[in-house]
Amino acid sequence: MIKWIKIALRNILKNKRRSFVTLIAIAMGFAAVSLFQGYIHNTYEGLRQSAVRGEGLGHLTIYKQGWLEKGKIDPDKYMFSQEELKRISDLVEEDEDVILATPQINISGLVSNGRTSTIFLANGVIPRDDKTIKGAWAAFRPVKGEGLSEKKPYGVEMGEDLASHLDLKPGGYGVIMATTLDGQMNALDIEVAGIYDTGSSATNDKYMRVPFGFAQSLYDTEKADRVVVLLNDWKKTEATRERLEDTLSGVGIVCEIKTWNELSLFYLKVRGMFDMIFMFIFFIVFIIVIMSVVNTMGMAVLERTREIGTLRALGLKRRGVSLLFAVEGAMLGFLGTVFGIVLNVIVWAVIRAAGPTYIPPGSSSPVPLIVNLVPQSMFFLMLFLILLSLMAAILPARRAARQNVVDALGHV
Amino acid sequence: MELIEMEEIKKDYFLGETVVHALRGVDLTIDKGEFVAIWGPSGSGKTTLLNLIGTIDEASSGQLFIKGEEVKKLSDDRRTEFRNRSIGFIFQGFNLIPVLSALENVMLPLEIMGTSFSNTRKTALKRLDEVGLSDFVKHLPDKLSGGQRQRVAIARALVTNPSLVIADEPTANLDSETSHKIIELMRDLNEKEETTFIFSTHDQRLLDQVERLVRLEDGRILNGGSEK
């Protein structure tokens, strides 16, 4: 085998210009796919953090069975009572991978500054638990002002554009109105404790975060529509869901548990779009690599027809000839991907040093362009391209191996 | 002892709709240890005959036995193995692998056979020494003269200790002094190791050295294959 690798390598070096063009094609293809993969890896990571911590979805959300389908029609029926909330929280927090289980309630209605009013959507959260869920993410989208606090039960955090429409600043006052679960109109005073950027222009003029008790007061209820669960590792999401489903159904709590990615529509859509773009780029690279290797190996077979005849005459079997060219193809793939890794690291370092930013569609503020180096993905991509080059070389190699020995020897 | 036996061998080529009868029924027997020249004008079928004996081509009809085995009945893999173990080739154009050194070229048939690296290297060095190229083992073919290349080709043909060496015009591309040395070398190996040599040639100096001359003309053996 070493002999064939040696011959393959020397033939690659012998035809420097042609090999160089093929290696560049493979290297560029590798770098393009790998960089894009690094970019979407970072984007998925950011979107995951945004969903889990930014949107406050946690890793798992527990609803009463039927809430997602019929909760809007008859909310009172499909909300958890205080007793149920306590039982669920106690059981869930017993799980070794759970950091926190906290009740939340969504409310909506009108918010007014006394002169003008507009609609709002708000999430009723326990301030202390909300801080735990946000974690380090809070520094990425900081709240201007004091923020939610147990000390100020009527203090709310307001989306930047919503505050701007209502001309409210931290410390300003307003009123929110909504119908209670019984259908009565209710209104409560609020103080703007903080203003924050939701990250999306679609929600920045509607969203608020309010203390959990305050939201319950507005709806005149002691219930909550869900329990949000934060885990110590997002990779354990699916396994923990299965475990919690078993635990809760085992004690007769009829519920359904959704994961953060099932609930974050934005994450799903962006992921779907990026996956499609990735497949498109990958397909183009796939074609370029195949065409380059087939062309190079086709030329090599043509030029080395007499050599093939000689090797066959000396006793090399047909599969030996195929192997020889397949090794050469694999070697091209290997060297090409090694150059690709170098190119990838250079571009990665340049991006890291330059620190460019961009505003994604629907986003309210610029985000840094970050490309991750993902060694595992690079390794698998490398293996795939080597295999692809090997397969692409097999086509002309098989043709070479099938040649009549006398015809091959007589080739000029 | 018969090494090669040919019975009514015919070989036709098709050039478009034209049929070229390269061999028109050849009967020939060659014994182990013979030093045989196939001689005849261009187009007489010399190379075709050597290709058939070398098992790199197939007869249109007739029977060919080498070491008692009927070549036609062997699969491509078996025939290739047979070639590797029993036949050495010396080509007119040397046909050395350009990216391999003289030593690596000579090692090649043994490596194909699967012999261990140390044995392969030792045997190849010995053969290169025998053909007087021990100082050129690391040279690539394009750094060697025509005569040196032909000697590498001879060393390569002999490295597996084949029973048969086939040489197609082995002195055609060489000057007279080098030709003389190559002829002496082949004759010497034939006498010392009882290796059978069959070659096609027009070279009178080579023809003077042979024990037996097979004269071909128009695809037929004229002299019954036993002239000298």
Side-chain angles (χ1 to χ4, degrees):
Chain A
M1 192 63 182
I2 292 168
K3 175 65 126 195
W4 307 131
I5 291 173
K6 199 192 292 178
I7 293 178
L9 197 59
R10 288 184 191 174
N11 275 309
I12 288 171
L13 295 174
K14 189 180 157 203
N15 298 297
K16 286 190 186 69
R17 190 180 296 175
R18 193 169 63 213
S19 299
F20 180 74
V21 171
T22 310
L23 293 179
I24 286 294
I26 297 172
M28 300 271 276
F30 177 91
V33 171
S34 183
L35 284 166
F36 188 67
Q37 208 166 29
Y39 168 69
I40 61 174
H41 183 269
N42 179 269
T43 305
Y44 291 167
E45 201 175 282
L47 288 172
R48 187 178 63 246
Q49 291 290 342
S50 173
V52 172
R53 301 195 179 266
E55 288 181 55
L57 294 173
H59 295 102
L60 294 167
T61 304
I62 304 169
Y63 298 99
K64 188 176 260 191
Q65 187 78 48
W67 166 264
L68 292 169
E69 277 180 48
K70 301 169 198 164
K72 291 240 171 4
I73 302 162
D74 189 359
D76 193 45
K77 184 179 171 186
Y78 295 102
M79 288 168 88
F80 290 123
S81 66
Q82 265 198 325
E83 194 185 308
E84 284 171 324
L85 287 171
K86 179 153 184 4
R87 275 185 77 199
I88 291 171
S89 295
D90 290 348
L91 283 166
V92 169
E93 284 185 342
E94 273 175 19
D95 192 286
E96 58 182 7
D97 292 322
V98 172
I99 293 175
L100 172 80
T102 181
Q104 289 187 359
I105 181 169
N106 270 349
I107 57 170
S108 60
L110 288 172
V111 54
S112 170
N113 62 1
R115 297 181 304 278
T116 181
S117 57
T118 184
I119 56 162
F120 76 91
L121 300 165
N123 196 9
V125 296
I126 296 173
R128 187 182 56 246
D129 292 347
D130 189 55
K131 280 191 179 64
T132 308
I133 290 174
K134 291 278 179 301
W137 174 265
F140 180 61
R141 294 205 187 277
V143 175
K144 289 173 203 157
E146 295 169 21
L148 297 182
S149 160
E150 272 81 7
K151 291 176 193 164
K152 196 174 275 183
Y154 52 90
V156 303
E157 289 175 358
M158 198 172 265
E160 258 177 8
D161 292 347
L162 180 60
S164 171
H165 293 334
L166 296 170
D167 193 25
L168 288 172
K169 292 185 172 51
Y173 292 91
V175 177
I176 59 172
M177 288 167 282
T179 51
T180 64
L181 295 183
D182 295 333
Q184 305 295 313
M185 273 307 288
N186 194 10
L188 294 174
D189 289 332
I190 57 167
E191 182 185 335
V192 180
I195 291 173
Y196 69 104
D197 179 7
T198 62
S200 163
S201 50
T203 56
N204 233 354
D205 61 347
K206 296 176 193 67
Y207 273 24
M208 292 203 302
R209 278 194 292 258
V210 303
F212 181 64
F214 183 79
Q216 283 183 318
S217 296
L218 187 68
Y219 272 18
D220 192 23
T221 181
E222 291 188 332
K223 294 180 173 179
D225 57 44
R226 62 191 185 275
V227 174
V228 169
V229 180
L230 187 71
L231 305 179
N232 54 19
D233 184 355
W234 71 272
K235 288 176 193 142
K236 294 176 180 170
T237 302
E238 202 51 55
T240 311
R241 163 157 72 176
E242 284 172 23
R243 226 167 34 238
L244 292 182
E245 274 172 349
D246 289 346
T247 306
L248 295 174
S249 64
V251 295
I253 297 172
V254 184
C255 61
E256 53 187 322
I257 304 178
K258 295 284 179 188
T259 61
W260 59 272
N261 49 333
E262 287 170 344
L263 293 173
S264 180
L265 200 61
F266 185 64
Y267 175 85
L268 288 175
K269 283 188 173 174
V270 171
R271 181 152 194 159
M273 182 184 77
F274 275 134
D275 285 350
M276 184 65 82
I277 296 172
F278 178 77
M279 285 310 292
F280 183 67
I281 292 176
F282 193 75
F283 183 71
I284 291 172
V285 169
F286 181 88
I287 296 293
I288 290 173
V289 169
I290 285 192
M291 296 300 281
S292 303
V293 177
V294 165
N295 179 51
T296 303
M297 297 313 297
M299 292 287 283
V301 165
L302 198 69
E303 284 172 5
R304 283 155 58 197
T305 304
R306 272 171 74 94
E307 187 180 315
I308 293 164
T310 306
L311 289 168
R312 294 275 292 129
L314 294 180
L316 187 65
K317 291 177 186 169
R318 283 184 173 145
R319 61 176 174 274
V321 174
S322 294
L323 178 71
L324 176 65
F325 285 93
V327 166
E328 203 165 315
M331 193 68 75
L332 278 172
F334 173 74
L335 294 174
T337 49
V338 167
F339 289 147
I341 289 172
V342 173
L343 192 63
N344 188 357
V345 171
I346 290 171
V347 176
W348 170 80
V350 168
I351 291 173
R352 211 173 149 82
T357 58
Y358 68 106
I359 300 178
S363 182
S364 54
S365 52
V367 295
L369 174 69
I370 300 173
V371 173
N372 288 354
L373 276 185
V374 194
Q376 199 184 8
S377 303
M378 286 163 80
F379 175 72
F380 283 117
L381 182 62
M382 185 179 192
L383 276 188
F384 179 78
L385 288 185
I386 291 172
L387 199 66
L388 191 66
S389 306
L390 188 147
M391 303 288 278
I394 279 181
L395 292 173
R398 279 172 62 87
R399 201 175 60 230
R402 278 201 300 267
Q403 282 183 107
N404 177 287
V405 181
V406 172
D407 291 344
L409 283 169
H411 186 85
V412 182
Chain B
M1 187 186 153
E2 285 170 0
L3 180 69
I4 297 156
E5 193 181 352
M6 295 181 116
E7 290 171 8
E8 255 316 287
I9 289 287
K10 290 181 183 170
K11 177 68 185 176
D12 299 329
Y13 291 110
F14 295 90
L15 294 173
E17 289 180 5
T18 314
V19 182
V20 178
H21 303 289
L23 294 176
R24 298 166 185 260
V26 170
D27 294 304
L28 180 68
T29 304
I30 296 172
D31 289 339
K32 185 172 162 42
E34 281 198 83
F35 199 67
V36 185
I38 313 282
W39 180 75
S42 288
S44 59
K46 301 187 297 291
T47 303
T48 303
L49 187 65
L50 289 185
N51 288 344
L52 293 175
I53 295 171
T55 74
I56 55 175
D57 205 355
E58 277 188 62
S60 304
S61 66
Q63 286 180 302
L64 167 63
F65 296 88
I66 303 179
K67 290 166 94 176
E69 288 220 61
E70 189 176 358
V71 173
K72 210 174 194 173
K73 288 184 178 165
L74 299 176
S75 67
D76 187 74
D77 273 3
R78 286 266 295 126
R79 204 178 305 164
T80 309
E81 268 174 37
F82 180 80
R83 233 171 14 238
N84 178 235
R85 290 173 188 280
S86 306
I87 304 174
F89 285 93
I90 303 168
F91 300 99
Q92 185 180 347
F94 322 125
N95 287 28
L96 301 177
I97 306 300
V99 295
L100 297 180
S101 68
L103 176 63
E104 288 166 337
N105 263 289
V106 177
M107 287 168 71
L108 204 52
L110 284 175
E111 286 181 313
I112 291 171
M113 197 186 283
T115 312
S116 72
F117 180 78
S118 57
N119 276 346
T120 300
R121 188 178 157 80
K122 206 166 82 182
T123 314
L125 283 170
K126 183 173 158 272
R127 285 298 186 193
L128 277 168
D129 187 44
E130 282 168 6
V131 298
L133 286 178
S134 43
D135 292 336
F136 296 89
V137 292
K138 288 186 177 167
H139 285 57
L140 288 174
D142 62 358
K143 304 289 179 209
L144 297 171
S145 68
Q148 287 169 329
R149 283 185 223 177
Q150 193 61 303
R151 279 191 274 166
V152 174
I154 292 171
R156 184 177 67 183
L158 293 166
V159 77
T160 57
N161 292 320
S163 357
L164 171 65
V165 173
I166 291 171
D168 189 10
E169 305 270 5
T171 55
N173 289 335
L174 305 176
D175 59 58
S176 52
E177 192 189 334
T178 314
S179 294
H180 181 69
K181 283 182 186 169
I182 294 292
I183 294 163
E184 271 192 0
L185 179 66
M186 290 200 299
R187 195 76 182 104
D188 193 39
L189 289 165
N190 166 250
E191 281 168 8
K192 276 186 192 163
E193 301 187 18
E194 278 210 332
T195 307
T196 308
F197 276 79
I198 306 174
F199 45 85
S200 65
T201 189
H202 287 103
D203 190 339
Q204 192 54 49
R205 291 160 304 183
L206 188 49
L207 292 171
D208 291 343
Q209 295 283 325
V210 298
E211 295 166 349
R212 183 176 166 197
L213 190 61
V214 176
R215 196 169 164 198
L216 263 180
E217 200 171 302
D218 202 21
R220 288 192 182 89
I221 293 178
L222 293 185
N223 57 350
S226 58
E227 183 182 325
K228 172 60 199 165

